[in-house]
């Protein structure tokens, strides 16, 4: 019997999701975990192609499961700078489950990657999954003044039009998209799967020596809305910060909660310049936090902004210093900071591998 067939004489039975503990909210979303899915419902083989910038992550994904093998594309340019692209062994992937690991970290690479993404489903593959760990236009998701261009919606429309494969619509895997409403920007021609890096953080927090003294902080109400259910289900104390106007400036203040004596972990979906996180850290330190750490799924860090984050190696939080700063490898910038304190990279390889084997 092949790996994706129903056992003869049996009706398909899907294992129920893990039951919620008392007090947990049913809206808490969990990542796909392959061990929760019956073996005969899993894809037998997946060929994972990748962009040059995601090669290291692709190798980690393939190392997670022997059913995932790496495909290869040739990435060259013509003399005029336009892409010269080639999918190697194109006929060998017919009727197979095929995936592509993309990185849209810079507008200059989107066109060449979209060219490959649009081509792969048309090579008679059995099914196609696009993994885009970081949805980069997420902060430009609304129109506040006539003339504003919501580029998040534009990118969602481009991705919605990825051709179907022989098996049906393209599956689209994204981690911690910036705004909740962006989940509804994608049309019916694709099947979006919204995953999260928060389970990786939860696992890391459980390994800390002071795991029983951790408080979760949110730099604004938006981060609280996106993430608090996951931490509420685990019983963490919480601090909510907010930005208020002080004349022409906007400053960070604590709206709710008490950080005194606690190891406070600031949680957000992405970090760019880092100004808000640093302001938030300073306020928490001044209010008596024992240590302050930070987590962001997406470490964008334009213009080497990671250099402004200082390490707290001593006892007692100091303004501007972080005990730990956790990010994932959703963005290429993670390779620049992986060996630098206070940074620590939590790899998305395992949740990506699980998502590919649905």
């Amino acid at each position: 019997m092949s790996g994706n067939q129903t056992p003869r004489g049996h009706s398909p039975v899907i294992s129920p999701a893990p039951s919620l503990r008392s007090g947990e909210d049913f809206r808490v979303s969990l990542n796909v975990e392959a061990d929760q899915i019956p073996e005969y419902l899993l894809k037998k083989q997946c060929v994972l192609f990748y962009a040059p910038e995601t090669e290291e992550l692709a190798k980690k994904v393939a190392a997670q499961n022997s059913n995932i093998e790496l495909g290869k594309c040739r990435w060259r340019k013509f003399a005029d700078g336009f892409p010269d692209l080639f999918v190697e062994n194109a006929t060998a992937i017919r009727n197979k489950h095929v995936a592509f690991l993309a990185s849209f970290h810079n507008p200059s690479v989107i066109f060449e990657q979209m060219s490959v993404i649009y081509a792969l489903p048309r090579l008679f593959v059995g099914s196609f999954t696009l993994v885009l760990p970081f949805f980069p236009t997420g902060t430009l998701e609304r129109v506040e003044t006539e003339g504003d261009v919501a580029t998040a919606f534009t990118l969602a429309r481009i991705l919605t039009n990825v051709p179907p494969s022989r098996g049906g619509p393209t599956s689209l895997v994204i981690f911690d998209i910036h705004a909740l409403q962006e989940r509804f920007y994608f049309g019916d021609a694709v099947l979006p799967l919204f995953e999260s890096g928060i389970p990786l953080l939860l696992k890391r927090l459980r390994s800390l020596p002071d795991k029983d003294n951790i408080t979760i902080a949110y730099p604004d109400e938006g981060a609280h809305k996106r993430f608090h259910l996951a931490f509420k289900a685990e019983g963490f104390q919480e601090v909510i910060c907010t930005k208020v106007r002080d004349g022409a400036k906007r400053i960070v203040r604590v709206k709710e909660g008490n950080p005194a004596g606690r190891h406070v972990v600031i949680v957000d979906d992405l970090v760019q310049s880092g100004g808000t996180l640093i302001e938030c850290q300073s306020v928490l330190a001044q209010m008596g936090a024992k240590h302050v750490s930070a987590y962001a799924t997406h470490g964008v860090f334009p213009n080497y902004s990671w250099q402004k984050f200082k390490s707290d190696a001593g006892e007692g939080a100091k303004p501007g210093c972080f005990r730990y700063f956790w990010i994932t490898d959703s963005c290429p910038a993670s390779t620049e900071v992986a060996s630098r304190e206070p940074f620590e990279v939590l790899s998305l390889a395992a949740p990506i591998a699980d998502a590919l084997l649905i």
Side-chain angles (χ1 to χ4, degrees), residues 77-250:
K77 293 185 182 296
F78 291 109
D80 60 1
F82 274 85
D84 175 14
L85 309 169
F86 184 78
V87 178
E88 298 188 6
N89 298 319
T91 59
I93 63 175
R94 291 178 179 176
N95 295 315
K96 291 187 177 181
H97 174 48
V98 172
F100 184 83
L101 180 58
S103 177
F104 291 176
H105 59 283
N106 189 301
S108 65
V109 303
I110 293 179
F111 175 69
E112 62 182 20
Q113 290 185 48
M114 287 304 306
S115 298
V116 173
I117 290 165
Y118 273 49
L120 286 172
R122 298 174 62 88
L123 293 175
F124 296 94
V125 302
S127 61
F128 181 65
T129 298
L130 170 60
V131 182
L132 181 62
F134 174 47
F135 189 74
T137 57
T139 55
L140 294 172
E141 82 285 0
R142 59 184 178 270
V143 174
E144 295 180 338
T145 304
E146 192 65 30
D148 285 344
V149 177
T151 54
F153 184 50
T154 302
L155 183 56
R157 283 189 288 176
I158 292 172
L159 295 173
T160 294
N161 286 287
V162 174
S165 66
R166 299 183 76 174
T170 292
S171 299
L172 175 61
V173 181
I174 296 176
F175 285 82
D176 289 323
I177 200 164
H178 179 66
L180 295 177
Q181 64 266 26
E182 292 170 4
R183 292 170 170 255
F184 308 104
Y185 287 2
F186 301 92
D188 293 338
V190 295
L191 301 174
L193 177 62
F194 298 104
E195 298 279 63
S196 177
I198 296 300
L200 299 175
L201 174 62
L202 289 171
K203 181 179 180 180
R204 183 67 179 94
L205 294 181
R206 296 186 195 108
S207 71
L208 295 179
D210 58 351
K211 61 183 178 181
D212 296 324
N213 192 44
I214 291 175
T215 291
I216 304 299
Y218 307 101
D220 51 44
E221 288 87 348
H224 174 257
K225 182 184 297 184
R226 286 192 294 275
F227 298 122
H228 84 98
L229 289 176
F231 294 101
K232 178 182 177 182
E234 297 289 332
F236 284 100
Q237 296 184 29
E238 296 181 320
V239 169
I240 304 173
C241 298
T242 187
K243 289 183 179 180
V244 297
R245 289 197 174 276
D246 182 9
K249 298 186 301 181
R250 297 185 70 182

Side-chain angles (χ1 to χ4, degrees), residues 37-112:
I37 303 173
E39 184 178 354
Y40 64 87
L41 292 179
L42 299 178
K43 300 288 184 182
K44 185 176 181 180
Q45 190 75 29
C46 174
V47 182
L48 176 61
F49 293 86
Y50 52 88
E53 296 81 1
T54 62
E55 181 175 3
E56 182 178 344
L57 177 56
K59 290 179 178 178
K60 292 178 181 179
V61 172
Q64 295 291 317
N65 195 295
S66 60
N67 286 336
I68 301 174
E69 62 176 289
L70 295 181
K72 191 174 181 181
C73 294
R74 187 185 68 198
W75 304 85
R76 296 179 180 174
K77 293 185 182 296
F78 291 109
D80 60 1
F82 274 85
D84 175 14
L85 309 169
F86 184 78
V87 178
E88 298 188 6
N89 298 319
T91 59
I93 63 175
R94 291 178 179 176
N95 295 315
K96 291 187 177 181
H97 174 48
V98 172
F100 184 83
L101 180 58
S103 177
F104 291 176
H105 59 283
N106 189 301
S108 65
V109 303
I110 293 179
F111 175 69
E112 62 182 20

Side-chain angles (χ1 to χ4, degrees), residues 270-278 300-309:
L270 64 89
V271 54
Q272 296 205 49
S273 69
T276 297
L277 287 180
I278 290 175
V300 184
F301 298 126
N303 302 316
Y304 304 98
S305 58
W306 52 265
Q307 294 177 339
K308 67 179 67 174
F309 292 96

